[in-house]
């Protein structure tokens, strides 16, 4: 996961802007292959819908938990008051404070619901955006898609992550622990041991600082509860008490390495992405890998490769180098002159020297040159009538 | 995929959220009303110690009422319904969409961030998003893109064309005239023609004729019919709409000129006419579903995905991604190469050299039957093709 630095342009706005392109009813039938291709490509958009939803869900849950707590505390406040012997004035004062507390609650409820509604709107805008994709405006839609991959739509979510990552890089676990507490139930459900690892790291830091007593106290309180499920690791780490941070024992040396913090960062990224239903890898890389492989042919690396092929560019060639080549089941012939596909509509014609061009391009050339065609690669001139059709199956 | 079921599931969530909100609102309202009521009763009762109305009995009433109404329980019920919807929606998403598109990702391939950043910056510039490009360069600490200046110039020309000002475009086309001819582009003539038509539409036939003599006549070798049409249109100068030449009024003429200019400009820069990044990502969008499907089917079979040399499945990209001729021998299913070139038989059918060798038993037979038609193929008459 990369924190994309580009903050300009709210991609959600881009999406809603381009969404309502109303295409006029068309009479030409759309080939079903393109339609199914579109449907298939829409299926790739899980993350686009999932991420804002997880955000929305989190807001709803937090709000709800807060209000439930407040309401129950008001109710029990009244109950306590009824059961106690307060004077009339005291009772009035306490009731008044409950009233103002409820007023504050009302305001918070309003605010909370506004945030929820905004987030719901965002989720809906995304669904509408997918719905707006259509064979007719596919090019435009694909462009928007690229923009949103680059612009990184869910920037606020990444800010949350960045805070924790920065803290971890500064060797502070506090914000990561807070994050764990916030998402406790879900982490538990997915059997995550991220919190355990944070605790172990803190333990190791105490040992490093040679505060052994503190380490033991800390271990009792925060590490021991994980014993039931992760005994082996626990023993391994607690045994560091017997070593100093300068130990040469390979088994324990590793635990003291500062690299462990990078491991924690990596683990956090993993947990975080899982929670939001995101892929660990940047979307752009996933699409680039697939696209480069599909476009990678031996021809792309040749000297005179057409500039239209992305693989004619040095930077794309470098990226594609470790990737597999594409595979073809069927011949696809592109006319050297017109760059058009040669198929049954525009069949390939063979010159006496074995060079092949499309009928359309050769015919056009012959019409302009009194029935003669010139091979653009060898300079051979011959009559249009000397050409033979090739059958490619 | 059913977008409708996704929408429905989301509507359910939004609905339950609204319900839960109004329930909470209602409860908070009710609590504060009751407490305020009790408060005013207590405050308004005379404050002598022997009053009949004991404030504690008022409080007891409120407490009793709260116990009966059980506001916390009510909230829990509302939450339960909301929770059900909240849990269901991601499940619908997972079912209808592809929950993990990184399955077909090679994890041992690390893209050089520096190259990717350069590609992204270049993309912003070529889309004319110069501010974003600059900001991106600044924030990633990349060095300035060499292409920025050229793309700025291109957008200046295109912007002028949008305002029907052809001068910058013509200036560029004329100074690159030779290169355009080499690329077999008729851009220069197209721009001159547009300019000619603009003058003619301004009801100035004489000037239009002068312009044509000076700038258009030189293209007679290659494009005589086009020039004839163009000049003839002068006869209907006043009413081009109802003339045989109404096509000259079409805005498509301008749009195509803009497209051709972009194409040629980029080509001369050594760039493709479409952004290479968007081509690759769009190709990726078409490829990923095929790869993911394959990975799902092959989930149990051992496949060394990280080290294969060629994709295990063929991906049919749309036509616009076909940049090279690929010949696959219909018999051996192998792609042709320098060592194994395509050969045409006397009947016009094409096979790979190795296949032909095999069919002729390595030349020990002087003829064999074409696998696609009844022709007896004479090996000496097979010839190599160049696509």
């Amino acid at each position: 996961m990369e924190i994309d630095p580009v903050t300009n342009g709210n991609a959600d706005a881009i999406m809603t802007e381009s969404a309502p392109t109303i295409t006029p009813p068309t009479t030409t039938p759309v080939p079903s292959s393109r339609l199914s291709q579109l449907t298939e490509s829409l299926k790739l958009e899980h993350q686009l819908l999932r991420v804002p939803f997880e955000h929305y869900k989190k807001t709803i849950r937090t709000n709800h938990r807060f209000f439930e707590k407040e309401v129950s505390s008001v109710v029990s406040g009244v109950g306590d008051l009824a059961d106690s012997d307060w004077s009339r004035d005291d009772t009035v004062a306490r009731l008044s404070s409950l009233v103002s507390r409820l007023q504050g609650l009302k305001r918070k409820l309003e605010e909370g619901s506004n945030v929820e509604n905004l987030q719901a709107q965002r989720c809906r805008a995304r669904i509408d955006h997918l719905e707006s994709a259509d064979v007719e405006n596919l090019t435009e839609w694909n462009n928007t898609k690229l923009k949103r991959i680059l612009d990184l739509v869910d920037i606020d979510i990444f800010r949350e992550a960045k805070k924790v990552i920065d803290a971890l890089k500064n060797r502070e676990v506090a914000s990561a622990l807070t994050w764990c507490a916030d998402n406790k139930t879900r982490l538990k459900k997915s059997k995550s041991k991220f919190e355990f690892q944070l605790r172990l790291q803190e333990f190791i830091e105490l040992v490093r600082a040679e505060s052994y007593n503190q380490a033991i106290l800390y271990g009792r309180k925060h590490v021991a509860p994980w014993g039931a499920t992760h005994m082996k690791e626990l023993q391994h780490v607690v045994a560091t008490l017997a070593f100093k941070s300068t130990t040469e024992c390979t088994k324990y040396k590793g635990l003291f390495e500062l690299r462990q913090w990078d491991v924690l960062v990596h683990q956090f990224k993993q947990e975080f992405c899982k929670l939001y239903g995101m892929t660990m890898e940047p979307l752009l890389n996933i699409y680039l890998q697939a696209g480069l492989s599909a476009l990678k042919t031996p021809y792309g690396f040749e000297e005179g490769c057409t500039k239209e092929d992305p693989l004619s560019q040095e930077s794309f060639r470098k990226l594609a180098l470790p990737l597999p080549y594409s595979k073809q089941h069927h011949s696809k012939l592109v006319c050297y002159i017109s760059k058009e596909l040669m198929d049954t509509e525009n069949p390939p014609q063979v010159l006496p020297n074995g060079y092949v061009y499309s009928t359309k391009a050769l015919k056009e050339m012959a019409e302009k040159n009194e029935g003669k065609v010139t091979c653009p690669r060898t300079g051979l001139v011959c009559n249009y009538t000397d050409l033979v059709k090739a059958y490619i199956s | 995929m059913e977008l409708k079921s996704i929408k429905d599931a989301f509507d359910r969530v939004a609905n339950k959220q609204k319900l839960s909100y109004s329930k909470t609102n209602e409860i908070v309202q009710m609590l504060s009303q009751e407490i305020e009521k009790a408060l005013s009763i207590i405050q308004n009762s005379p404050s002598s110690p022997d009053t009949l109305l004991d404030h504690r009995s008022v409080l007891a009433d409120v407490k009793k009422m709260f116990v009966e109404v059980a506001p916390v329980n009510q909230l829990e019920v509302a939450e339960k319904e909301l929770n059900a919807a909240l849990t269901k929606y991601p499940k619908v998403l997972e079912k209808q969409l592809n929950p993990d598109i990184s399955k077909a990702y090679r994890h041992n391939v690390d893209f050089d961030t520096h190259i990717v950043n350069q590609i992204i910056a270049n993309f912003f510039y070529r889309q004319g998003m110069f501010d974003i490009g600059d900001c991106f360069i600044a924030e990633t600490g990349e060095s300035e893109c060499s292409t920025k200046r050229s793309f700025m110039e291109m957008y200046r020309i295109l912007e002028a064309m949008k305002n029907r000002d052809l001068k910058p475009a013509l200036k560029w086309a004329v100074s690159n005239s030779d290169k355009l001819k080499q690329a077999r582009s008729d851009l220069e003539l197209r721009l001159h023609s547009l300019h000619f038509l603009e003058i003619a539409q301004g009801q100035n036939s004489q000037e239009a004729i002068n312009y044509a003599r000076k700038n258009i006549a030189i293209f007679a070798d290659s494009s005589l019919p086009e020039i004839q049409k163009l000049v003839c249109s002068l006869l209907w100068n006043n009413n081009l709409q109802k003339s045989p030449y109404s096509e000259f009024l079409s805005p498509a003429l301008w749009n195509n000129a803009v497209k051709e200019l972009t194409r040629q400009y980029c080509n001369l820069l050594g760039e493709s006419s479409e952004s290479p990044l968007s081509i690759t990502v769009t190709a990726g969008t078409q490829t990923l579903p095929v790869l993911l499907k394959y990975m799902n089917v092959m989930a149990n079979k051992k496949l060394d995905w990280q080290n294969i040399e060629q994709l295990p499945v063929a991906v049919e990209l749309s036509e616009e991604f076909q940049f090279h001729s690929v010949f696959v021998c219909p018999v051996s299913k192998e792609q042709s190469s320098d060592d194994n070139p395509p050969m045409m038989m006397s009947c016009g059918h094409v096979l790979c050299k190795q296949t032909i060798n095999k069919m002729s038993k390595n030349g020990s037979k002087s003829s064999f039957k074409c696998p696609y038609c009844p022709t007896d193929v004479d090996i000496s008459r097979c010839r190599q093709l160049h696509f």
Side-chain angles (χ1 to χ4, degrees), chain B residues 122-374:
Chain B
N122 204 32
F123 168 79
F124 284 134
Y125 287 136
R126 71 162 301 145
Q127 302 302 113
M129 303 193 267
F130 295 104
D131 293 344
I132 299 183
D134 285 343
C135 174
F136 183 80
I137 290 265
E139 289 194 24
T140 51
E142 292 290 330
S143 52
E144 179 92 8
C145 258
S146 53
T147 44
K148 178 184 170 189
R149 219 169 261 274
S150 317
F151 283 126
M152 280 180 102
E153 173 64 14
M154 183 178 92
Y155 275 94
R156 204 177 57 83
I157 296 175
L158 294 180
E159 197 54 37
M161 278 179 88
K162 240 184 235 163
N163 300 321
R164 300 256 155 158
D165 173 9
L166 284 164
K167 273 188 214 105
L170 274 167
K171 197 175 151 215
W172 180 83
V174 170
S175 62
N176 289 288
S177 180
D178 289 343
K179 287 180 192 156
L180 287 174
K181 244 176 237 148
Q182 228 172 34
R184 283 188 296 276
S185 165
D186 59 350
L187 178 66
E188 206 184 339
L189 174 63
R190 279 206 221 179
L191 292 172
H192 280 307
S193 309
L194 283 175
H195 201 203
F196 171 87
L197 289 168
E198 285 289 290
I199 301 173
Q201 284 301 296
Q203 308 298 322
N204 200 335
S205 305
Q206 188 55 50
E207 201 187 308
I209 290 170
N210 288 342
Y211 186 85
R213 272 192 193 145
K214 191 174 160 217
N215 298 301
I216 296 179
I218 43 173
F219 293 97
D221 279 355
S222 56
S223 317
L224 197 57
E226 284 86 353
I227 297 176
Q228 285 167 343
K229 270 159 82 182
L230 209 58
V231 180
C232 274
S233 74
L234 273 181
L235 299 178
W236 282 272
N237 209 355
N238 301 325
N239 203 354
L240 208 51
Q241 189 70 60
K242 285 189 181 145
S243 77
Y245 298 109
S246 56
E247 58 183 290
F248 285 142
L249 288 172
S250 156
L253 237 47
W254 282 84
N255 292 341
N256 290 339
V258 163
K259 261 191 213 147
E260 179 67 10
L261 188 124
T262 315
R263 210 180 121 94
Q264 295 303 333
Y265 194 102
C266 290
N267 268 338
L268 289 191
L269 268 184
E271 299 257 343
S272 49
S273 46
E274 289 286 334
S275 146
L277 180 62
S278 65
I279 293 175
T280 313
V281 170
T282 311
T285 312
Q286 294 184 5
T287 310
L288 266 180
V290 183
L291 294 184
L292 290 172
K293 206 174 261 176
Y294 180 82
M295 294 308 265
N296 276 342
V297 174
M298 300 297 283
N300 298 321
K301 305 221 172 105
K302 276 245 161 87
L303 170 77
D304 194 1
W305 177 252
Q306 310 293 336
N307 293 309
I308 39 167
E309 293 275 317
Q310 191 181 35
L311 289 180
V313 267
V315 180
E316 294 282 331
L317 295 179
S318 3
E319 227 172 88
E320 64 262 34
F321 300 105
Q322 207 63 53
F323 303 111
H324 309 282
S325 286
V326 176
F327 178 75
V328 180
C329 175
V331 175
S332 70
K333 297 287 173 200
E334 269 174 50
Q335 254 168 264
S336 67
S337 63
D338 287 347
D339 299 333
N340 188 21
M343 307 281 283
M344 184 170 73
M345 300 176 284
S346 45
C347 52
H349 287 107
V350 185
L351 302 175
C352 264
K353 191 173 186 175
Q354 278 172 8
T355 306
I356 288 186
N357 281 344
K358 242 180 233 163
M359 310 221 25
S360 67
K361 304 241 156 82
N362 277 328
S364 62
K365 281 164 67 182
S366 62
S367 71
F368 61 89
K369 200 192 118 338
C370 168
Y372 293 95
C373 69

Side-chain angles (χ1 to χ4, degrees), chain A residues 5-6 8 37 40-44 46 49-50 53 56 60-61 64 67-68 71-72 75 78-79 81 83-86 88 91-92 95-96 99 102 106 109-110 113 116-117 120 123-124 127 131 142 145-146 150 279 281 283-295 297 299 305-310 313 315-316 318-319 322 324-334 341 350-352 354-356 368 377 388 390-393, chain B residues 1 3 7 10-11 13-14 17 20-21 25 28 31-32 35-36 39 42-43 45 47 55-56 59 63 66 71-72 75-76 79 82-83 86 89-90 93-94 96-99 101-102 105-107 109 111 115 119-120 123 135-136 139 222 267 270-273 276-282 284-289 292 308-314 316-317 319 322-328 330 335 344 348-350 383-387:
Chain A
V6 185
N8 317 51
Q37 200 175 51
E40 285 304 317
S41 63
L42 285 184
K43 281 192 192 168
L44 303 173
H46 178 259
L49 299 187
R50 183 68 182 267
F53 173 74
Y56 175 50
I60 292 183
R61 289 254 161 91
H64 206 274
F67 290 117
E68 212 172 86
V71 165
S72 101
V75 169
V78 171
L81 214 50
D83 297 337
S84 56
D85 290 326
W86 294 103
R88 201 184 88 140
T91 308
V92 167
L95 279 180
S96 305
V99 167
L102 281 169
K106 255 189 244 171
L109 189 60
E110 204 59 48
S113 138
E116 283 172 18
N117 287 339
C123 294
R124 211 183 288 273
I127 301 176
E131 200 175 34
N142 274 327
K145 170 172 175 150
L146 178 56
L150 289 177
T279 51
E281 299 76 19
L283 276 183
L284 181 67
N285 287 5
I286 295 178
Y287 282 106
L288 273 181
Q289 258 201 18
L292 285 170
S293 279
L295 292 172
T297 58
Y299 316 104
C305 169
T306 164
K307 293 287 170 232
E308 296 301 313
D309 185 343
Q313 311 259 329
S315 49
F316 284 81
K318 274 191 197 144
L319 294 185
Y325 283 102
S326 66
K327 182 172 176 166
Q328 306 281 345
H329 274 325
H330 305 286
S331 296
K332 285 239 174 78
L333 302 180
V334 182
L341 213 58
V350 185
L351 269 61
Y355 282 76
V356 182
K368 279 186 184 162
R377 283 178 285 184
V388 240
Y391 295 92
I392 311 286
S393 31
Chain B
M1 183 191 58
L3 257 181
K7 268 182 126 168
F10 186 75
D11 283 343
V13 173
Q17 179 241 328
S20 155
Y21 162 76
N25 200 19
V28 172
L31 289 178
S32 73
I35 294 176
E36 271 172 53
L39 193 59
I42 295 171
Q43 275 172 330
S45 63
S47 65
H55 67 264
R56 245 174 287 161
L59 280 178
K63 182 187 170 188
F66 284 177
V72 177
L75 281 183
E76 272 166 6
E79 196 197 5
L82 177 57
N83 261 341
L86 282 175
Y89 183 63
L93 286 185
E94 263 166 37
Q96 298 291 344
L97 305 173
N98 229 322
I101 62 166
S102 64
Y105 187 78
R106 275 195 174 197
H107 293 276
V109 172
F111 280 160
I115 296 181
I119 289 176
I120 294 174
F123 168 79
C135 174
F136 183 80
E139 289 194 24
S222 56
N267 268 338
E271 299 257 343
S272 49
S273 46
L277 180 62
S278 65
I279 293 175
T280 313
V281 170
T282 311
T285 312
Q286 294 184 5
T287 310
L288 266 180
L292 290 172
I308 39 167
E309 293 275 317
Q310 191 181 35
L311 289 180
V313 267
E316 294 282 331
L317 295 179
E319 227 172 88
Q322 207 63 53
F323 303 111
H324 309 282
S325 286
V326 176
F327 178 75
V328 180
Q335 254 168 264
M344 184 170 73
H349 287 107
V350 185
R383 52 187 173 140
Q384 190 178 337
L385 295 185
H386 304 271
F387 293 111

Side-chain angles (χ1 to χ4, degrees), chain A residues 180-343:
Chain A
C180 284
D182 282 350
N183 299 287
K184 204 171 170 180
T185 28
R186 304 206 39 204
L187 289 175
K188 210 172 191 176
K189 216 185 244 169
S190 66
K191 298 207 173 68
S192 157
K193 54 177 190 177
F194 179 56
E195 189 188 339
F196 176 53
Q197 274 155 331
L198 289 171
R199 298 292 186 194
L200 288 183
Q201 190 62 38
E202 277 213 299
F203 180 83
I204 288 172
E205 291 305 315
L206 288 171
V207 175
R208 193 200 304 279
E210 301 184 6
S211 326
Y212 300 117
N213 275 335
Q214 237 179 308
I216 293 171
L217 285 177
Y218 185 87
R220 266 190 208 142
K221 189 164 171 209
H222 296 295
V223 181
W226 295 84
T229 41
H230 300 88
M231 201 56 201
K232 233 182 163 165
E233 275 172 280
L234 194 152
Q235 282 170 344
H236 182 60
V237 171
V238 175
T240 53
L241 279 173
F243 296 89
K244 284 206 164 183
S245 56
T246 49
T247 178
E248 283 305 315
C249 174
T250 43
K251 261 189 141 175
Y252 290 95
K253 197 178 164 193
L255 288 175
F256 283 111
E257 270 174 24
L258 292 178
R259 206 175 44 82
Q260 289 292 334
W261 285 98
D262 297 335
V263 176
L264 282 179
V265 169
H266 182 79
Q267 233 136 26
F268 169 72
K269 285 181 184 176
Q270 243 167 6
E271 296 290 346
F272 185 83
C273 291
K274 206 155 122 198
L275 210 66
Y276 276 109
M278 282 191 282
T279 51
M280 251 305 258
E281 299 76 19
L283 276 183
L284 181 67
N285 287 5
I286 295 178
Y287 282 106
L288 273 181
Q289 258 201 18
L292 285 170
S293 279
L295 292 172
K296 188 174 171 185
T297 58
Y299 316 104
F301 291 87
E302 280 171 10
E303 195 55 36
C305 169
T306 164
K307 293 287 170 232
E308 296 301 313
D309 185 343
L311 281 148
S312 67
Q313 311 259 329
E314 205 43 53
S315 49
F316 284 81
R317 281 183 185 171
K318 274 191 197 144
L319 294 185
L321 214 55
L323 297 174
Y325 283 102
S326 66
K327 182 172 176 166
Q328 306 281 345
H329 274 325
H330 305 286
S331 296
K332 285 239 174 78
L333 302 180
V334 182
C335 173
Y336 180 87
I337 302 174
S338 65
K339 309 292 175 210
E340 283 180 328
L341 213 58
M342 297 192 268
D343 48 18

